[in-house]
Amino acid sequence: MHYEIKVGYNKLNSNHKPDLLPAQIDDVINKASDDYVEIFYSGNNSKEYKLGFEVTQQRVDMLSTLVVPEKSISPTLVRTNVYKASTTLTPSYRHFLRGWVIATGCPQQIPITIVRHNDLDKMLLDSNQKPSLKWKRCLGTFKQDGLYLYTDYVITSVVIEYLSNPVKVYSGGYDSLEYLQGDLTAPNTGDPIVNSDLPEQHHYILVDMAIQHLARVLEDGQKLNLQKEGLLSKI
């Protein structure tokens, strides 16, 4: 990807356009990876790409390597009929896709319905929407420390499927900024290369997005417009 980014941006190792260090290109790829996930997960963005997660088979494939299936989480009782499921997970949690709970006395899966905080109080009192073991309903909201589940029954287990964060690439041979600032778990000289875990067959899109990010940072309007046109034709 380093080579393709340099070739795609054109003359990065000449006086016409500046060369970039491996660490800088890694940063560009990591920024593009974050954009890639958000754009193709939500489809609601300001970057002109309007199709979201699993809208087409291409979208399914583009994020398939980040989908964590059926992750079991031990629920913690917060108060009567309210449980918490921690989202401090490995691989690291990014977006909820679906989930269910198992309740005492009910062998069937009860799906989790994620609701807005503004709607929660109303739904908890609504006979047609409130949690119910009989009607297999469980409401969920996200807070800073995890997923909160509202029931009228005892939960014995929670299972979620979610989208994980993409790994940060590291081309090797240098101390990362995080390591220099004291994070001894961050990549440093001598550590192995870390490749992107986004689907390899779609790395060409990630490369194009990295080049687009470079053009924006370097204020190259002509290249930025060309990259946008090229990406729109591919996705």
Side-chain angles (χ1 to χ4, degrees), residues 32 35-36 39-40 45 47-50 58-59 62 202-213 216 223-235:
D35 286 347
Y36 178 106
I39 288 169
F40 300 119
N45 58 82
K47 297 180 176 63
E48 302 179 19
Y49 318 124
K50 297 300 185 185
Q58 184 191 36
R59 295 305 184 278
M62 289 175 76
H202 294 295
H203 279 185
Y204 70 97
I205 293 178
L206 182 59
V207 166
D208 281 355
M209 292 179 69
I211 295 171
Q212 178 176 299
H213 176 63
R216 186 180 297 110
K223 187 67 176 178
L224 180 61
N225 289 331
L226 288 173
Q227 284 302 118
K228 283 183 178 180
E229 291 176 6
L231 273 170
L232 284 169
S233 70
K234 296 173 183 176
I235 61 175

Side-chain angles (χ1 to χ4, degrees), residues 83-100:
Y83 294 81
K84 182 182 78 172
S86 173
T87 50
T88 302
L89 303 169
T90 302
S92 59
Y93 170 90
R94 184 150 187 158
H95 290 302
F96 178 88
L97 299 179
R98 74 180 185 120
W100 60 87

Side-chain angles (χ1 to χ4, degrees), residues 126-196:
D126 188 328
S127 297
N128 294 317
Q129 300 182 83
K130 68 181 182 180
S132 168
L133 182 62
K134 178 181 178 180
W135 299 107
K136 309 297 185 294
R137 289 196 296 257
C138 176
L139 303 183
T141 59
F142 283 95
K143 303 183 188 297
Q144 185 178 20
D145 57 345
L147 171 62
Y148 280 69
L149 303 167
Y150 300 84
T151 72
D152 69 349
Y153 42 83
V154 176
I155 291 179
T156 59
S157 62
V158 179
V159 178
I160 69 169
E161 296 188 336
Y162 65 95
L163 209 63
S164 65
N165 285 309
V167 300
K168 289 190 174 183
V169 303
Y170 174 68
S171 58
Y174 67 89
D175 291 335
S176 65
L177 179 61
E178 293 85 355
Y179 179 80
L180 293 174
Q181 290 181 335
D183 182 0
L184 299 182
T185 65
N188 62 90
T189 302
D191 279 354
I193 290 172
V194 178
N195 290 308
S196 172

